Amino acid sequence: MIKNYIKIAWRTLWRDRAFSFINLIGLAVGLASVLMIMAYVRYELSYDTSYSNAPDVYRLSMAMQVNGVERQSIMVPSTLAKTLSKEFPDISKYSVLSIRDLKFKYNNGNVALKSVNATADFFKLFNFKSIRGNLATALVEPNSVVVTESTAKKYFNGTDAIGKTINVVYANKPYKITAIIPDIASNTHFAADAIISIEGDRSLNDKLDLRGYTGMPQYILLNKTSNAASFENRFKTFYKTYHFGKATIKLMPVQKIHLYSHTESELRPNSDIKYIYIFSSIAILILVIACINYINLTTARSIQRAREIGVRKVLGAVKTQLVTQFLAESFFFFTACLLLAMLLTTACWPVFSQVIDPYGGNIPLFSSWSFILMPIVILIFGLLSGLYPAFILSKIKTAQVLKGITAFGINVSMRKVLVAVQFVISGVLIISTLIIYQQLNFISNARLGFNKEHLIAIPFFMFKSHVDVFKDELRTNPGVKDASVATWKAGEYFGGSATMPDAKDTTKTITVQFINADPDFIKTMGINVIYG
């Protein structure tokens, strides 16, 4: 019986090829859009799942009320995690993790690597697998470094990199490679080609003092039996002991950083959980539009199928058999559309994935769950889309067909409602797209307070005390209009910040972010001076 239903469905589609093609393309494009959106959503929700300890790893941040507004920063005192681990047995391990792009000397040239500064227990929190070397001891010694597999292959020509040394350009200091790990997944809240040990750094032995400290991002690994919320509530005595004043410590689950954290000095630009809700809603709306379009086109062809239905009823077909036939056609059609959608998605995905992840990650289009969910989608939406046309067409009476009556009781008002809903959803999506485009265009062309065109930033710590000589040499180049030195990288961070009481209102404080710069900074950056 099922074979017969499929055969009839195929003949019906083939008989009216133009109509079937329009319907097929419309639904396939809609499904392709949904597949790509859901792949994006799945990717965003998968951040920090490449190491098994992730559910128990938390990042420390400090929050402070400034004029009634809470400000959070991940740049916490360098010994905060260490001090907390002494006071609370809930903490199993802790580590510093700060990002720094460094240049290494290699074959008489310089190699830029994304680097992470970390303490000895880094790999006990972020327990990545090891390709070569013992990760438990890889960062114990100062000036040791762990590199990723692609870095080892690229710069050591496939030879064993363990035991070899690389030199940081600005420090001229040798770093010994102690281990090799697989490339860190792009869906991790930090990126790194090399993990450098900072054991022996003097700031790691400082006394915890909020009046002046070296700020470093820090992470803790909680025991399996500890609860983060209850652990946070036990900090009150700790605050008094170490004179925290109005500052408080916050714990952020590492798996929530990408979508929920928007603190100062993030290691990498984060997304927002709102985007997940927005794109998921868009996917559902696109699917609804595609289904409504299928329903309207199917019911619009009801007159052409009237003779077939009348003949089948004369030959003894009952309503249940007719409904089953039309549902079978719907499932068959949805399956064909899904296969075409998968082909379209596969063709478009390489370009789309680069837009999603500019860091060049290899984002999978499908997962094992995809092949479980897709049949469920076919079942649900094939049923929803085919049910209404099936019951409408199966109600056509044989006597009306034989008399040549063309109005078969089709619910025209229902079709009008479906068309109205389809146009409303389409209109909302089009208007939203135009608004988003205008907002992005505004952001791209907004005045930043300085001239961003033809501006190049070079890390001046590479040149140590010779920075002025380097600057003067740059200015002799006819292609360089001007040069300046400052503790600021455009678009990322200021040189520093300071908080002071407001002289006019002692209940408020003033926070000032400042840049240390030379006299040529204003001119080089093209900053307009209002006064002075």
Side-chain angles (χ1 to χ4, degrees):
M1 183 65 73
I2 296 175
K3 183 180 179 181
N4 187 53
Y5 287 151
I6 295 174
K7 188 182 293 185
I8 294 172
W10 170 251
R11 288 175 178 173
T12 303
L13 293 174
W14 186 251
R15 186 170 58 244
D16 197 348
R17 291 184 289 276
F19 165 82
S20 300
F21 178 78
I22 294 171
N23 213 354
L24 182 72
I25 293 298
L27 191 53
V29 170
L31 287 174
S33 303
V34 171
L35 287 175
M36 287 194 286
I37 290 172
M38 297 317 296
Y40 160 75
V41 170
R42 188 181 66 250
Y43 172 73
E44 290 289 288
L45 294 174
S46 70
Y47 262 71
D48 289 289
T49 56
S50 55
Y51 42 94
S52 59
N53 277 348
D56 300 312
V57 177
Y58 293 81
R59 187 178 68 186
L60 301 176
S61 65
M62 283 207 317
M64 184 177 291
Q65 293 287 333
V66 180
N67 300 330
V69 179
E70 184 179 88
R71 293 185 59 187
Q72 280 196 50
S73 176
I74 63 172
M75 302 302 289
V76 299
S78 57
T79 53
L80 178 59
K82 180 181 179 180
T83 310
L84 282 172
S85 68
K86 290 179 179 178
E87 299 283 346
F88 299 98
D90 302 71
I91 298 176
S92 173
K93 301 290 178 185
Y94 67 89
S95 182
V96 170
L97 193 166
S98 59
I99 298 293
R100 193 173 187 180
D101 291 342
L102 296 179
K103 286 188 180 293
F104 293 87
K105 290 182 179 179
Y106 175 75
N107 283 354
N108 299 320
N110 295 336
V111 174
L113 295 178
K114 291 185 178 69
S115 306
V116 166
N117 291 335
T119 47
D121 286 340
F122 173 82
F123 287 109
K124 294 178 182 176
L125 280 78
F126 302 92
N127 54 339
F128 298 108
K129 294 179 180 179
S130 172
I131 295 176
R132 292 291 305 276
N134 184 1
L135 295 182
T137 59
L139 299 176
V140 171
E141 295 296 326
N143 302 333
S144 55
V145 59
V146 176
V147 298
T148 60
E149 184 179 17
S150 62
T151 302
K153 288 180 178 178
K154 185 175 181 179
Y155 298 113
F156 295 96
N157 300 320
T159 60
D160 188 3
I162 301 294
K164 295 186 182 297
T165 59
I166 52 179
N167 293 308
V168 177
V169 172
Y170 78 94
N172 197 26
K173 184 188 296 183
Y175 285 80
K176 183 180 178 181
I177 298 175
T178 54
I180 301 173
I181 61 172
D183 292 353
I184 295 174
S186 61
N187 55 341
T188 306
H189 78 284
F190 63 90
D193 302 312
I195 295 90
I196 300 172
S197 172
I198 54 169
E199 288 294 330
D201 190 303
R202 287 180 298 178
S203 63
L204 297 177
N205 295 316
D206 290 344
K207 183 180 179 181
L208 181 59
D209 189 349
L210 265 66
R211 290 173 299 180
Y213 59 84
T214 301
M216 293 183 178
Q218 290 163 65
Y219 296 73
I220 59 173
L221 176 66
L222 290 185
N223 296 320
K224 295 288 184 183
T225 56
S226 298
N227 178 271
S230 61
F231 178 48
E232 248 185 80
N233 292 331
R234 298 188 352 243
F235 287 163
K236 292 181 180 178
T237 305
F238 184 85
Y239 295 150
K240 291 181 181 178
T241 304
Y242 292 94
H243 310 290
F244 265 61
K246 295 181 180 180
T248 57
I249 300 169
K250 301 290 184 181
L251 301 183
M252 169 63 74
V254 73
Q255 290 184 314
K256 288 191 174 183
I257 289 174
H258 180 65
L259 294 176
Y260 294 91
S261 180
H262 308 288
T263 62
E264 297 177 6
S265 306
E266 290 287 351
L267 301 183
R268 193 173 173 182
N270 288 334
S271 185
D272 197 308
I273 189 63
K274 294 176 184 177
Y275 299 145
I276 302 301
Y277 297 140
I278 290 171
F279 281 102
S280 297
S281 301
I282 290 172
I284 293 171
L285 291 175
I286 290 174
L287 207 51
V288 168
I289 290 174
C291 291
I292 290 176
N293 191 61
Y294 173 79
I295 292 170
N296 286 336
L297 288 174
T298 303
T299 53
R301 293 177 63 245
S302 58
I303 296 175
Q304 298 178 23
R305 308 249 353 228
R307 194 178 300 277
E308 172 198 338
I309 294 166
V311 171
R312 293 185 65 186
K313 281 191 172 184
V314 169
L315 294 175
V318 296
K319 185 176 181 179
T320 305
Q321 291 174 321
L322 292 172
V323 169
T324 304
Q325 171 62 49
F326 290 119
L327 286 177
E329 288 183 14
S330 178
F331 289 132
F332 178 77
F333 189 78
F334 260 80
T335 302
C337 286
L338 186 59
L339 293 175
L340 180 58
M342 290 173 69
L343 291 175
L344 290 172
T345 306
T346 304
C348 298
W349 185 246
V351 176
F352 186 65
S353 63
Q354 287 299 316
V355 176
I356 294 174
D357 184 20
Y359 296 97
N362 184 20
I363 306 172
L365 175 56
F366 302 111
S367 67
S368 55
W369 279 101
S370 300
F371 298 101
I372 297 173
L373 291 174
M374 282 191 286
I376 296 174
V377 169
I378 291 174
L379 183 64
I380 294 174
F381 285 93
L383 181 64
L384 292 175
S385 301
L387 207 56
Y388 177 69
F391 276 103
I392 291 296
L393 296 176
S394 63
K395 286 169 62 177
I396 295 176
K397 296 179 181 179
T398 308
Q400 288 179 314
V401 176
L402 296 176
K403 291 177 181 178
I405 299 174
T406 56
F408 303 110
I410 301 297
N411 193 338
V412 178
S413 60
M414 183 62 182
R415 283 184 56 202
K416 287 181 178 179
V417 169
L418 291 174
V419 171
V421 170
Q422 187 178 14
F423 274 100
V424 168
I425 295 174
S426 300
V428 169
L429 291 177
I430 291 170
I431 292 170
S432 300
T433 302
L434 292 174
I435 292 173
I436 292 171
Y437 173 78
Q438 289 177 346
Q439 289 293 320
L440 292 174
N441 189 55
F442 170 77
I443 293 171
S444 300
N445 297 288
R447 292 182 60 85
L448 302 178
F450 64 92
N451 184 13
K452 65 179 180 178
E453 302 299 330
H454 311 296
L455 187 66
I456 298 175
I458 302 172
F460 73 79
F461 60 78
M462 293 167 48
F463 309 100
K464 298 180 71 175
S465 59
H466 304 298
V467 63
D468 290 328
V469 177
F470 179 73
K471 172 189 167 184
D472 292 338
E473 188 66 25
L474 281 176
R475 297 172 79 171
T476 62
N477 190 312
V480 177
K481 185 177 180 180
D482 220 321
S484 174
V485 179
T487 58
W488 178 55
K489 188 173 181 180
E492 289 194 9
Y493 50 78
F494 284 95
S497 63
T499 303
M500 61 194 76
D502 189 342
K504 296 181 179 179
D505 187 349
T506 56
T507 62
K508 295 182 179 181
T509 57
I510 299 173
T511 300
V512 179
Q513 292 182 314
F514 58 86
I515 299 169
N516 295 319
D518 67 9
D520 297 318
F521 181 74
I522 300 292
K523 181 175 61 174
T524 303
M525 299 297 295
I527 298 173
N528 294 325
V529 178
I530 299 176
Y531 298 107

